[in-house]
Amino acid sequence: MAPSTQVPVAATTDHDGAVHHDRAKAAARRGALARSNPNLSPDKLSIRGVVAELLSVANAEKALISLGVGDASSYQCFSEGKPFSGPLLESVRAGRFDCYAHSFGFPAARRAVAEYLSKGLKSGFCESDVFLTSGGTQALQVTLTVLATPGCNVLLPRPGFPPYESFCEVYNIEARYYDLLPQRNWEIDLDQVRTLTDCNTMGLVVINPNNPCGAVYSPNHLHQIAETAGELNIPIIADETYGHMTYGGSKFVPMATFANLASVITLGSLSKRFLVPGWRLGWLAIYDPLGTLKQVKVATELLMNVTSGPASVIQAAVPDILSDSHDQFHKKVLTVLENSADILYGRIKQIEALKCHSKPQGSMFMMVEVDTARLRGISNDMDFAKELMKEESVLVLPGTVLGMKNWVRIFFGTPADLLIDACDLIKSFCERRLIS
Ligand SMILES: *Cc1c(COP(=O)(O)O)cnc(C)c1O
C-alpha cells in the first residue's frame, strides 16, 4: 500500500510538505559521504594496517623475510605430506555436501570436534556443546557478542591478540587488560585479574598455548586460573587455537579439565595446527558442568541461526581431519617448529640490546624486548620495526600493536635457513646501531 493513500485529505499538504522537505534535505546531501559505524574508526592500530605500513618502506634491493604474520602454510617444510586435501576432495566429489549445513554445523562434524576436545577429560563435550564457525575469529566474535550486556567489560591478556580488542570496540564492550608476566614464563597476573573484576565482568580470555609469547601453561597454573575465575564467578573464554602445538617437553592441558571450578567456552580452529588457515573452519564449545552457561548457550544458538558458518564441504571433511590417523604429520610439524624455536631463541640471546625472557614452548611466536636506549635512532618498537625494514627487509611485528611497547613479536613458523638469515640480518642491524 502506497503511504499517500493512508493520509487523510486534510493532512495531505502537510504530508507532502514533509516529503518535499525531506527531498530538499536529501538533495542537499547529494554526493555527501554515507555515514558509517563510528566504532569502526580508521585510526585504530591493527596488525594488517601496521604490516601494510611496514611493507611500504621495505628495502627494494633485498628480498623480504616476513616474520610478521603467523601463517606457516605456504612453506614446504610444513606443508609437505599434509594429508588434508584428500578428505576435502572426497567430500566435494561425493556431491552430498553442496547443501546448506545446519546452522550449528553438520552433526558428524560437531561430534568429531566434541570428541577431539574431550580427549583426556573425565566427562567430555557432547555434540550439542559445539558450534562450527568461519575460522576461530568468528568463534571469538560470536562469543563476545553472546556475552555482551550493556556496560559490561571483559578481561584480556596483555600482550594479546588484537581481534579481541577490535570486536570489543565494535560491540561497545570495555576491554580491561591483565598482564602476562615475562619473568614468570608469561603466567597470568591473577592478583590483577581479581582487582580488575567487577559485577559487570563477563569473561576472562585465556590464550594457551599463547600467541604472542609462546608460553604453555602448567596444569598447576591452569588450576589457579580456574580457581580464580570460579571465585569471581566469571566464565573462562579459553582460546586454544594452538592446542597440542607444544614441544620441548611441555604438554598442552585443555582448560576444560578444570571446568568443575569455572565454566569454560573453548575456542579453536583448523588454521594453525592443521595449517589450513584459508579453509576458515573454527569452533566454539561450551563446557558447563556447573550449569551457569545455560542462557549463554541458548543465545549462541539464536545467533548461530541468523549467521552462517563454514562451507559445508569443509565441515564434511572435519571428522577425517581431526581423526588420530594424521599423528605422523603433526609430529613432523612439531619437530620443525621446535628446531625453529631453538634457533630463534639461541640467536636472539646473542644480540646485545635484545632480550627474550624464555624459550617458546608452544605456538609459533616469541616476544623480544628491545632496549631502545642502546640503539641509535630508535626510540620505540615501531621505529625498530621500520628501520629494520628499511635496511634489511626483515618484517617483525611492533609490540605496541599487541599492547607491549618496546617489544616485538617474531614469528618462527618458517624454514630454518630463512630464520637463520633473518637472525643474521637483525644482528648486523643491531650492531650497526649499538651505542656502546
Ligand atoms: C590465529 C588465531 C585465532 C583464530 O584464527 P582463525 O584464522 O580465524 O582461525 C584465534 N586466536 C589466536 C590467539 C590466534 O592466533
Side-chain angles (χ1 to χ4, degrees):
M1 205 194 305
S4 57
T5 60
Q6 287 177 292
V7 177
V9 177
T12 307
T13 333
D14 271 343
H15 178 77
D16 284 356
V19 166
H20 285 143
H21 188 59
D22 278 353
R23 276 199 200 124
K25 266 206 232 162
R29 278 213 324 264
R30 193 163 294 145
L33 284 180
R35 279 168 293 191
S36 64
N37 185 333
N39 291 349
L40 296 166
S41 98
D43 47 48
K44 289 277 157 34
L45 287 179
S46 72
I47 294 188
R48 281 184 195 161
V50 170
V51 163
E53 189 183 335
L54 290 170
L55 287 174
S56 72
V57 301
N59 182 341
E61 323 249 281
K62 295 193 176 176
L64 173 75
I65 304 182
S66 176
L67 310 179
V69 229
D71 186 352
S73 66
S74 60
Y75 295 118
Q76 220 204 320
C77 60
F78 290 104
S79 61
E80 200 174 20
K82 189 161 72 180
F84 309 126
S85 57
L88 177 59
L89 288 171
E90 196 39 56
S91 80
V92 173
R93 200 174 292 126
R96 282 182 291 120
F97 304 106
D98 298 339
C99 55
Y100 280 113
H102 188 278
S103 333
F104 310 160
F106 282 132
R110 296 174 77 196
R111 227 166 17 246
V113 173
E115 278 167 25
Y116 177 73
L117 295 177
S118 299
K119 273 178 214 152
L121 299 183
K122 277 200 207 88
S123 71
F125 290 86
C126 54
E127 178 187 323
S128 62
D129 298 331
V130 175
F131 300 86
L132 297 188
T133 54
S134 174
T137 304
Q138 193 194 10
L140 69 89
Q141 180 182 15
V142 166
T143 305
L144 291 176
T145 309
V146 162
L147 291 173
T149 53
C152 74
N153 63 74
V154 66
L155 307 185
L156 304 180
R158 177 174 55 209
F161 183 61
Y164 284 99
E165 179 176 348
S166 307
F167 285 128
C168 283
E169 278 159 15
V170 176
Y171 299 130
N172 294 318
I173 298 166
E174 181 196 347
R176 294 186 180 174
Y177 298 92
Y178 66 82
D179 290 312
L180 303 181
L181 304 168
Q183 60 284 50
R184 281 205 349 225
N185 248 328
W186 298 105
E187 286 190 349
I188 296 176
D189 185 341
L190 288 171
D191 291 334
Q192 198 185 10
V193 164
R194 281 194 197 88
T195 321
L196 290 170
T197 302
D198 62 21
C199 59
N200 288 320
T201 304
M202 53 81 143
L204 168 68
V205 173
V206 176
I207 304 176
N208 178 56
N210 187 265
N211 169 14
C213 306
V216 178
Y217 294 143
S218 67
N220 184 41
H221 188 53
L222 291 168
H223 186 269
Q224 290 171 336
I225 296 169
E227 219 168 38
T228 308
E231 278 166 25
L232 297 168
N233 197 25
I234 43 176
I236 298 175
I237 301 164
D239 183 329
E240 298 181 349
T241 302
Y242 298 91
H244 303 284
M245 285 186 90
T246 65
Y247 33 83
S250 57
K251 197 168 164 281
F252 166 65
V253 175
M255 197 73 237
T257 310
F258 304 99
N260 58 322
L261 300 172
S263 309
V264 176
I265 304 177
T266 299
L267 314 182
S269 83
L270 295 183
S271 301
K272 311 294 163 59
R273 182 178 188 218
F274 301 84
L275 291 140
V276 287
W279 290 15
R280 310 308 303 135
L281 192 129
W283 53 79
L284 69 101
I286 299 177
Y287 196 53
D288 184 31
L290 301 174
T292 60
L293 293 177
K294 281 201 183 88
Q295 205 173 310
V296 168
K297 195 166 183 182
V298 172
T300 306
E301 291 171 351
L302 293 171
L303 179 59
M304 292 306 294
N305 269 331
V306 294
T307 60
S308 56
S312 55
V313 285
I314 297 179
Q315 292 193 30
V318 164
D320 182 294
I321 294 172
L322 293 182
S323 72
D324 292 331
S325 49
H326 309 300
D327 286 358
Q328 279 314 105
F329 170 74
H330 293 304
K331 263 197 200 126
K332 196 205 70 180
V333 169
L334 291 182
T335 308
V336 180
L337 272 181
E338 179 171 13
N339 183 44
S340 294
D342 286 347
I343 290 171
L344 182 64
Y345 180 72
R347 299 254 165 174
I348 294 294
K349 246 174 49 175
Q350 291 166 11
I351 303 177
E352 277 190 74
L354 298 188
K355 181 167 181 180
C356 40
H357 294 250
S358 47
K359 184 153 84 176
Q361 307 155 290
S363 87
M364 309 185 274
F365 304 94
M366 186 170 92
M367 287 296 284
V368 175
E369 193 172 7
V370 183
D371 188 351
T372 53
R374 299 202 56 199
L375 295 170
R376 199 172 312 112
I378 289 172
S379 51
N380 57 45
D381 52 310
M382 192 65 194
D383 285 351
F384 181 88
K386 228 183 224 167
E387 295 299 308
L388 182 63
M389 271 303 268
K390 278 191 203 158
E391 293 183 15
E392 306 292 0
S393 283
V394 173
L395 177 68
V396 297
L397 190 73
T400 298
V401 189
L402 313 169
M404 286 283 269
K405 194 168 180 239
N406 293 343
W407 289 68
V408 291
R409 185 188 77 173
I410 302 185
F411 170 68
F412 56 83
T414 68
D417 52 354
L418 204 61
L419 197 60
I420 291 171
D421 287 349
C423 289
D424 287 346
L425 295 170
I426 295 173
K427 186 161 194 256
S428 56
F429 170 78
C430 289
E431 280 167 359
R432 286 197 302 275
R433 299 277 182 147
L434 196 69
I435 302 168
S436 42

